[in-house]
Amino acid sequence: MESHVKAQINKRVVVVIKMVEQTKPIIDPLFDIKDKVYLIAGACGGLASSLLEEISARGVKMALYDKDEAGIIELKSKYPHALVRAGSINCEKSVNACVDKIIEKYGVLDGIINAAGVLPISQSLTIDFELFKECIDINLNGAFLLSKCSARVMQERGGRIIHIASVSSSVANIDYSAYASSKAALSQLTRVLAREWAPKNILVNAIGPALTETNLTTSYLSNPEFRQNAISSIPMNRLGLANDLIGPIIMLMSKSGSFITGQTIYVDGGRTTV
């Protein structure tokens, strides 16, 4: 009788062990980014928020950079182990200081994700020229500066540079003259830097989302006509979500993206097919 009870107990223990093993997260070496050191610019923005949660959960050592000082302080409370810095991506002194702090803290920089940007939508005849120049300065010049300052410390051991471009890198939307110009130029910059830095194993790519619901687009999408026009231009008949970008970005960060460079990968529900 006693041996029968022991046998039953042993069977139950085996079942419990198997159940626990099945609930363990699967770590695929192709997509493993644990202990990678990444600078995320525009960390307080809507596109970055869900990404930070995902890559932090996967063990990435993060340096968070944004011009929003209050937002950076809030991120520090959420990610206490992250390095945080306030500053603009189009200020060379500030970006270099951030990169130097990363090297001081972590010893290396494995890559950057540039999610910083502005989205002015205005008729070309009436757009303020200063606003047009600001869009180019942040979305293009800032992206170049961030790439250059980061490549400075990545050129010995390689690294990954990932920019957030847009479907506007390719398609021509009415009233997007400033934004589309900056994002089209960003995609071409991505190609040039990728070719130039490939011998250093610095891979440069961009993600091109369709119009995505974030705090950057809220004011436009609150207009029912604008919202419906945007949705109707996307074959999958919905707007983009920040979560849609996570998979492709993790791919580009990981071993699975080790032979991809110079590309703008569109995550757009088919928008660029129209």
Side-chain angles (χ1 to χ4, degrees):
M1 181 68 178
E2 185 178 340
S3 61
H4 175 71
V5 171
K6 285 183 178 179
Q8 290 298 318
I9 292 173
N10 288 337
K11 285 182 180 179
R12 290 176 183 176
V13 169
V14 169
V15 170
V16 170
I17 290 173
K18 287 183 177 180
M19 290 175 63
V20 170
E21 288 177 345
Q22 289 173 356
T23 59
K24 287 181 180 179
I26 297 172
I27 301 176
D28 187 334
L30 278 175
F31 296 92
D32 184 16
I33 53 177
K34 188 176 187 295
D35 292 330
K36 297 292 185 183
V37 177
Y38 264 77
L39 165 61
I40 298 93
C44 297
L47 284 179
S49 60
S50 55
L51 176 65
L52 296 184
E53 293 180 8
E54 291 291 339
I55 65 174
S56 175
R58 286 166 171 76
V60 172
K61 297 174 181 177
M62 302 188 301
L64 309 178
Y65 187 74
D66 200 287
K67 65 179 182 179
D68 182 355
E69 294 186 14
I72 279 292
I73 293 172
E74 186 176 337
L75 282 179
K76 182 63 176 177
S77 64
K78 187 173 183 179
Y79 303 104
H81 298 296
L83 171 68
V84 300
R85 297 278 295 185
S88 176
I89 64 169
N90 58 353
C91 174
E92 187 169 10
K93 182 179 178 181
S94 177
V95 174
N96 270 325
C98 180
V99 170
D100 289 342
K101 281 291 183 182
I102 294 169
I103 300 302
E104 181 183 320
K105 180 177 175 68
Y106 298 116
V108 297
L109 176 62
D110 292 302
I112 68 168
I113 301 168
N114 173 27
V118 293
L119 173 61
I121 300 177
S122 180
Q123 293 183 3
S124 299
L125 281 175
T126 57
I127 188 172
D128 184 89
F129 187 47
E130 293 303 315
L131 181 60
F132 188 99
K133 289 191 293 184
E134 179 190 27
C135 181
I136 300 295
D137 195 31
I138 294 174
N139 293 358
L140 176 61
N141 298 344
F144 170 75
L145 187 59
L146 192 63
S147 301
K148 178 186 175 184
C149 295
S150 302
R152 168 176 63 89
V153 300
M154 293 194 293
Q155 58 183 321
E156 296 300 323
R157 57 193 302 273
R160 311 289 176 92
I161 294 175
I162 305 166
H163 292 293
I164 302 299
S166 168
V167 294
S168 291
S169 299
S170 175
V171 302
N173 286 317
I174 294 173
D175 300 337
Y176 276 63
S177 59
Y179 185 74
S181 297
S182 70
K183 294 300 186 178
L186 176 57
S187 284
Q188 186 66 359
L189 175 67
T190 295
R191 286 162 51 84
V192 173
L193 296 182
R195 186 174 182 186
E196 188 172 337
W197 294 342
K200 302 178 186 295
N201 200 33
I202 298 175
L203 310 184
V204 187
N205 291 289
I207 299 291
L211 190 65
T212 303
E213 296 205 64
T214 68
N215 52 7
L216 190 65
T217 60
T218 298
S219 60
Y220 300 118
L221 291 173
S222 61
N223 180 322
E225 183 179 0
F226 181 94
R227 185 183 187 89
Q228 184 53 45
N229 286 340
I231 292 173
S232 64
S233 70
I234 300 172
M236 286 186 68
N237 202 36
R238 72 166 174 87
L239 297 171
L241 302 173
N243 284 344
D244 294 329
L245 308 184
I246 293 171
I249 289 176
I250 290 176
M251 178 192 68
L252 293 175
M253 295 170 72
S254 65
K255 183 179 179 180
S256 58
S258 61
F259 202 54
I260 302 172
T261 195
Q263 305 303 309
T264 296
I265 299 173
Y266 291 104
V267 184
D268 64 355
R271 175 66 183 91
T272 50
T273 66
V274 177

